[in-house]
Amino acid sequence: MSFHLFFFKKYLKIKNSKKKESNFFRDAFGNFHFIKRFLIFTLGFISYNRYNGFNQLHLEGTEYIKDLPDKKVLFVSNHQTYFADVFAMFHVFCSVKNGFINSIKNPIYLLNPKINLYYVAARETMKKCFLTKLFTYSGGITVKRTWKKEEEQINRSVSIISDITRMGIAINDGWLITFPQGTTKAFAPGRRGIVHVIRKYNPIVVPIVIDGFQKAYDKKGIRIKKKGVLQKMKFKKPIQLDLKKETTDSIMKKIMDSIEQSPKYRRYKLDQG
């Protein structure tokens, strides 16, 4: 019995490892590249005027990402809407891939998108309708919230190891965007799960600071609230981390400082009125 169980486990291990490897046709999660290309192009075409039309997106610091390796990169960002932030980042990363710096004014980049680009999103958010399922296919890595369900604060046990593993698969296959606060509320505390991901997979960690998205769109980032808004997206130099010596708290503090969501930035904002 143990003999058969041993080989059954070996079979599952081999089968699962194959699913985690991207190839010419599929990404590491088994999604077809040609479908992802079509979705990124279509969603990019539809959303383009939101960032270079009736609203504008001001970019800064994309020179820090143009020479990054094609894999093992983690972007950490503050969060203002469910989807508009990510849409804008897709535009930027595809533009940089095609040689444009601090500009998305030439949408020809949508014909050659970055398809090994992933982002973290709450599972309950991404299962609400057909549209969000399309968003998931384009690169969403869904995770369970450990502290909140809908608008209710909870404390539940979840398969966090599975979620970290999925994030690791994305990191090993390409670039992953994550929002350490796990909420669109400004200056919310960061969630330490991201530090576990960094310790386990040791990616290059690049901060992003965004602003103006909450003024232009509703919380979901779908409905337009206001036109003529200048949205901002700033990329910073990769965070220097010593994973052997630094504590979880010190790494978390560096991340929150880098995305300008730590208490000192809250105080600064209050002082500015």
Side-chain angles (χ1 to χ4, degrees), residues 237-250:
K237 292 181 180 180
I239 304 173
Q240 299 299 313
L241 298 173
D242 187 338
L243 299 182
K244 292 183 178 180
K245 295 182 179 180
E246 293 191 61
T247 65
T248 296
D249 286 341
S250 67

Side-chain angles (χ1 to χ4, degrees), residues 14-231:
I14 294 172
K15 186 177 180 182
N16 290 335
S17 65
K18 289 181 179 179
K19 288 183 179 179
K20 297 174 184 178
E21 297 177 358
S22 60
N23 55 46
F24 183 78
F25 298 102
R26 295 174 182 262
D27 68 11
F29 296 93
N31 299 320
F32 285 102
H33 285 158
F34 78 92
I35 296 179
K36 291 183 71 173
R37 288 179 181 275
F38 174 77
L39 288 174
I40 293 171
F41 174 82
T42 303
L43 294 172
F45 179 80
I46 293 172
S47 63
Y48 181 72
N49 278 338
R50 291 170 170 242
Y51 312 115
N52 194 43
F54 53 79
N55 286 329
Q56 293 292 317
L57 177 63
H58 173 76
L59 292 173
E60 184 179 346
T62 59
E63 63 271 14
Y64 295 131
I65 65 175
K66 67 182 182 67
D67 295 323
L68 289 174
D70 194 47
K71 300 179 180 180
K72 301 280 287 185
V73 181
L74 177 68
F75 292 90
V76 291
S77 175
N78 61 314
H79 203 19
Q80 294 190 339
T81 71
Y82 291 167
F83 302 115
D85 312 0
V86 174
F87 288 169
M89 291 175 190
F90 265 83
H91 279 280
V92 174
F93 290 131
C94 292
S95 181
V96 171
K97 177 188 175 182
N98 287 273
F100 303 107
I101 302 301
N102 292 332
S103 174
I104 58 167
K105 292 184 178 180
N106 194 340
I108 193 173
Y109 58 74
L110 292 172
L111 296 173
N112 183 32
K114 184 170 180 60
I115 54 175
N116 62 337
L117 178 61
Y118 305 93
Y119 62 94
V120 176
R123 192 164 299 161
E124 52 263 44
T125 300
M126 302 305 283
K127 285 186 175 182
K128 287 185 176 180
C129 66
F130 178 71
L131 182 61
T132 56
K133 290 180 179 179
L134 293 181
F135 297 160
T136 302
Y137 200 99
S138 68
I141 305 299
T142 57
V143 299
K144 286 184 178 179
R145 288 172 170 165
T146 58
W147 68 96
K148 188 177 180 182
K149 183 178 181 182
E150 299 296 340
E151 296 303 321
E152 178 186 356
Q153 297 295 322
I154 62 173
N155 184 12
R156 66 183 175 189
S157 176
V158 298
S159 54
I160 189 170
I161 295 177
S162 175
D163 289 341
I164 289 176
T165 300
R166 286 170 57 79
M167 293 171 70
I169 293 170
I171 289 171
N172 287 333
D173 187 55
W175 292 2
L176 176 65
I177 305 163
T178 187
F179 305 97
Q181 294 165 287
T183 177
T184 57
K185 184 179 179 181
F187 304 107
R191 305 293 170 178
R192 295 189 178 189
I194 191 60
V195 179
H196 297 306
V197 173
I198 293 170
R199 286 193 183 280
K200 185 171 183 178
Y201 298 101
N202 194 23
I204 297 172
V205 182
V206 181
I208 308 174
V209 179
I210 63 171
D211 194 23
F213 291 85
Q214 82 282 13
K215 296 178 183 177
Y217 314 104
D218 66 349
K219 187 174 183 179
K220 292 182 179 179
I222 302 293
R223 184 176 62 84
I224 299 166
K225 289 198 308 185
K226 186 177 180 181
K227 295 182 179 181
V229 176
L230 179 63
Q231 300 149 116

